[in-house]
């Protein structure tokens, strides 16, 4: 089959190439005891995420790197099932011939080919007939992440989303309205896009031109929730608090919350589990404790939504919102990218830039 192959760790233009003689994956390649949890799909579209670039760059090589080279990159995928094990769970909500979208399993690898193996017993959902494959692929990991944050929003909340223009942020701008947020504001380098449909936030700030933490109207009418999808927001709040400046978010005592999926730095490198704990777990635990105990009168309550979902429930929910025309998947207008070496390299370089407007999607085949 035709598939993208990564020849090693490095830059996309040096390591990625579409080959035409790659072995088609089969359930026979999977250990017998595990086959019931897997399916083979004919791939329609693949969406990229930051993890795809980390794997290719070797930033987390011992933890997420491929067992050998060359490897097939790509994790979030949509396609049609061509093979299911005879012992597959009886309660699977799909069958051979039906479209599914899936989040990567264990590490973002294996999707960017004409065929791929997907883990059907975890985050893998049937795609409604009226949802396009490119849109469904874009929801693989960003959809469940957005739902996890959406569930923490309360009716009437004033919400500020940092990194509102990305894959998760573009969904949250729409989801928060469904939840009944009274005011939704976004921060992005393209503030005009945030105020247009389908995102249609009430107010937007271009962070390259103005510091949203100094916006006077927000200091006088504070947010109930800050959702940080861009990294570094908590450090800004600490800086403002220590300087005695007025905050734009309510304190924990007043019901203020700070929600994030990100460490302090948007790009990181970790080659051991200890390094991962130092980046993700230890700061999150310490902040969660002191923001609830010693700084309740100065800072919002800190919550780090650690981990990706392991069940399909949240993916089912976001797909239903899309099917019901309540949410629109946002695909970067520079794509979908073609399934060629040049197209895939361009897609990876755009993902690396961290200036994606929605999601980066590669179209592998027609639906």
């Amino acid at each position: 089959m035709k598939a993208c192959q990564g020849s090693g760790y490095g830059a996309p233009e040096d390591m990625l190439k579409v080959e035409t003689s790659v072995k088609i994956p089969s359930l026979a390649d999977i250990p017998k005891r595990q086959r019931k949890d897997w399916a083979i799909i004919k791939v329609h579209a693949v969406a990229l995420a930051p993890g795809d670039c980390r794997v290719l760059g070797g930033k987390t090589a011992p933890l997420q790197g491929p067992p050998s080279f060359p490897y097939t990159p790509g994790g979030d995928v949509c396609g049609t099932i061509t093979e299911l094990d005879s012992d597959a769970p009886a309660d699977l909500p799909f069958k051979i011939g039906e479209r599914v979208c899936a989040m990567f399993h264990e590490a973002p690898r294996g999707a960017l080919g004409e065929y791929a193996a997907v883990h059907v017993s975890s985050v893998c959902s049937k795609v409604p007939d009226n949802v396009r494959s490119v849109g469904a692929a874009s929801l693989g990991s960003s959809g469940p992440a957005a739902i996890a944050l959406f569930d923490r929003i309360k009716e009437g909340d004033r919400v500020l989303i940092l990194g509102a223009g990305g894959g998760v942020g573009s969904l949250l701008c729409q989801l928060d309205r469904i939840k009944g947020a009274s005011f939704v504001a976004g921060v992005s380098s393209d503030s005009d896009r945030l105020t247009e449909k389908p995102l249609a936030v009430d107010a937007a700030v271009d962070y390259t031109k103005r510091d949203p933490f100094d916006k006077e109207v927000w200091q006088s009418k504070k947010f109930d929730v800050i959702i940080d999808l861009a990294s570094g927001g908590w450090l800004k709040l600490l800086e403002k608090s220590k300087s005695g400046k007025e905050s734009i978010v309510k304190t924990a005592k007043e019901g203020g919350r700070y929600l994030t999926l990100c460490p302090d730095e948007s790009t990181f490198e970790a080659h051991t589990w200890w390094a991962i704990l130092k980046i993700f777990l230890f700061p999150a635990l310490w902040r969660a404790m002191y923001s609830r105990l010693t700084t309740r009168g100065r800072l919002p309550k800190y919550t780090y939504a650690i981990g990706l979902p392991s069940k399909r429930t949240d993916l089912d929910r976001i797909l239903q919102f899309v099917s019901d025309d309540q949410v629109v998947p946002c695909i970067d207008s520079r794509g979908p990218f073609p399934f060629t070496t040049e197209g895939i390299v361009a897609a990876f370089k755009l993902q690396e830039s961290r200036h994606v407007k929605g999601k980066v999607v590669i179209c592998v085949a027609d639906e």
Side-chain angles (χ1 to χ4, degrees), residues 3-19 48 52-53 55-57 69-74 112 340-349 352 362:
C4 176
Q5 297 288 273
S7 59
Y9 295 128
E13 60 270 29
D14 297 328
M15 298 299 163
L16 297 180
K17 184 179 180 182
V18 172
E19 303 285 1
L48 299 185
D52 294 291
C53 296
V55 170
L56 180 63
F69 292 102
Y71 83 104
T72 302
L112 261 174
T340 62
T341 297
E342 294 76 13
I344 292 170
V345 167
F348 267 82
K349 290 180 75 66
E352 281 184 334
I362 298 158

Side-chain angles (χ1 to χ4, degrees), residues 165-166 188-190 193 330-338 342-344 346-363:
S188 168
S189 60
D190 187 353
R193 173 175 170 264
C330 294
I331 313 301
D332 192 289
S333 61
R334 287 162 283 192
F337 289 86
E342 294 76 13
I344 292 170
F348 267 82
K349 290 180 75 66
L350 175 57
Q351 183 64 55
E352 281 184 334
S353 74
R354 296 192 68 249
H355 291 292
V356 181
K357 299 175 183 180
K359 290 290 289 186
V360 177
V361 178
I362 298 158
C363 186

Side-chain angles (χ1 to χ4, degrees), residues 21-58:
S21 57
V22 179
K23 183 180 181 296
I24 296 175
S26 167
L27 290 182
D29 302 329
I30 298 169
K32 189 171 183 179
R33 286 187 296 179
Q34 300 175 23
R35 286 177 196 167
K36 63 182 177 62
D37 295 321
W38 291 83
I40 303 301
I41 63 170
K42 178 177 173 57
V43 175
H44 300 309
V46 174
L48 299 185
D52 294 291
C53 296
R54 279 196 298 273
V55 170
L56 180 63

Side-chain angles (χ1 to χ4, degrees), residues 27 30 37-41 75 77 81 100-103 105 111 116-122 124:
L27 290 182
I30 298 169
D37 295 321
W38 291 83
I40 303 301
I41 63 170
V77 62
I81 296 177
V100 295
C101 67
M103 186 181 79
H105 182 66
V118 296
H119 197 269
V120 296
S121 296
S122 53
C124 180

Side-chain angles (χ1 to χ4, degrees), residues 160-179:
L160 174 64
I161 304 171
L162 308 177
V168 177
S170 294
L171 296 173
L172 270 176
C173 289
Q174 303 172 69
L175 287 169
D176 287 349
R177 283 298 191 204
I178 297 172
K179 201 60 176 281

Side-chain angles (χ1 to χ4, degrees), residues 48-97:
L48 299 185
D52 294 291
C53 296
R54 279 196 298 273
V55 170
L56 180 63
K59 303 294 186 183
T60 53
L63 308 176
Q64 291 185 309
S68 63
F69 292 102
Y71 83 104
T72 302
D76 295 342
V77 62
C78 177
T80 299
I81 296 177
T82 60
E83 187 181 2
L84 271 174
D85 189 67
S86 57
D87 293 325
D91 61 348
L92 284 180
F94 37 72
K95 59 183 184 293
I96 290 176

